[in-house]
């Protein structure tokens, strides 16, 4: 017999840095158990923000799925900028075509794209909205 799902949460924590607190307070799970499991699985991704889909069952057990780092965070890191432009018409950095492809390949599993070219278009759209010019694609 399968367990009954009570709740599905989407939250983000720094890799290796989850700790009991307000983000998990309403989940109804054993927070230290989740934090230990999450931190163990993400210790090799230090410096990244890791989105996680947390499925909570009626018996207070849980499962979680780790996702790839947010696209905007990866673009900022690749361009060496701290903050994106508040207006997309202002260019704050340039992203090389190689870096664009690298980010798209990494993000492919979490994107709604059929192929790498589609994933690259999604990442390029995010970059443009952040005020980042993409080499080889922007006029």
């Amino acid at each position: 017999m399968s367990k009954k799902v009570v709740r599905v949460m989407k939250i983000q924590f720094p890799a290796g840095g989850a700790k009991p607190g307000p983000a998990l307070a309403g989940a109804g799970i054993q927070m230290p158990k989740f934090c230990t499991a999450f931190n163990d699985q993400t210790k090799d991704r230090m410096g990244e923000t890791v989105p996680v889909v947390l499925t909570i069952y009626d018996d207070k057990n849980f499962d979680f799925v780790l996702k790839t780092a947010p696209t905007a965070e990866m673009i900022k890191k690749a361009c060496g900028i701290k903050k994106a432009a508040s207006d997309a018409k202002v260019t704050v950095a340039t992203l090389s075509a190689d870096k664009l492809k690298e980010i798209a390949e990494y993000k492919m599993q979490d994107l709604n794209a059929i192929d790498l070219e589609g994933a690259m278009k999604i990442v390029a759209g995010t970059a443009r909205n952040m005020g980042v010019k993409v080499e080889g694609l922007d006029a």
Side-chain angles (χ1 to χ4, degrees):
M1 187 171 163
S2 63
K3 300 183 225 178
K4 182 180 175 200
V5 174
V6 176
R7 187 171 179 194
V8 176
M9 296 175 64
K10 293 180 181 180
I11 47 182
Q12 295 182 0
F13 291 105
K19 50 188 166 219
L24 291 170
I29 60 171
Q30 294 177 2
M31 289 187 267
K33 186 177 173 184
F34 167 78
C35 293
T36 302
F38 176 86
N39 292 341
D40 287 345
Q41 287 188 29
T42 59
K43 63 185 168 209
D44 60 329
R45 294 171 63 178
M46 291 303 219
E48 277 185 31
T49 299
V50 181
V52 59
V53 178
L54 178 61
T55 305
I56 302 147
Y57 301 102
D58 60 351
D59 62 357
K60 306 289 185 198
N61 282 325
F62 60 86
D63 289 324
F64 63 92
V65 177
L66 301 176
K67 300 292 186 175
T68 56
T71 306
E73 183 179 290
M74 296 181 74
I75 291 168
K76 287 191 285 188
K77 188 183 282 186
C79 294
I81 57 175
K82 294 268 186 222
K83 192 175 173 188
S86 56
D87 181 2
K89 294 175 187 149
V90 177
T91 302
V92 293
T94 302
L95 183 66
S96 71
D98 290 340
K99 283 289 185 185
L100 173 72
K101 185 176 180 183
E102 185 180 309
I103 293 169
E105 286 172 344
Y106 178 73
K107 292 288 297 176
M108 186 70 185
Q109 65 190 14
D110 290 341
L111 294 176
N112 187 15
I114 296 170
D115 56 12
L116 183 59
E117 187 176 317
M120 288 173 68
K121 287 180 181 178
I122 292 170
V123 173
T126 301
R128 277 193 294 275
N129 286 333
M130 295 171 59
V132 175
K133 182 179 179 179
V134 180
E135 268 180 12
L137 295 181
D138 295 335

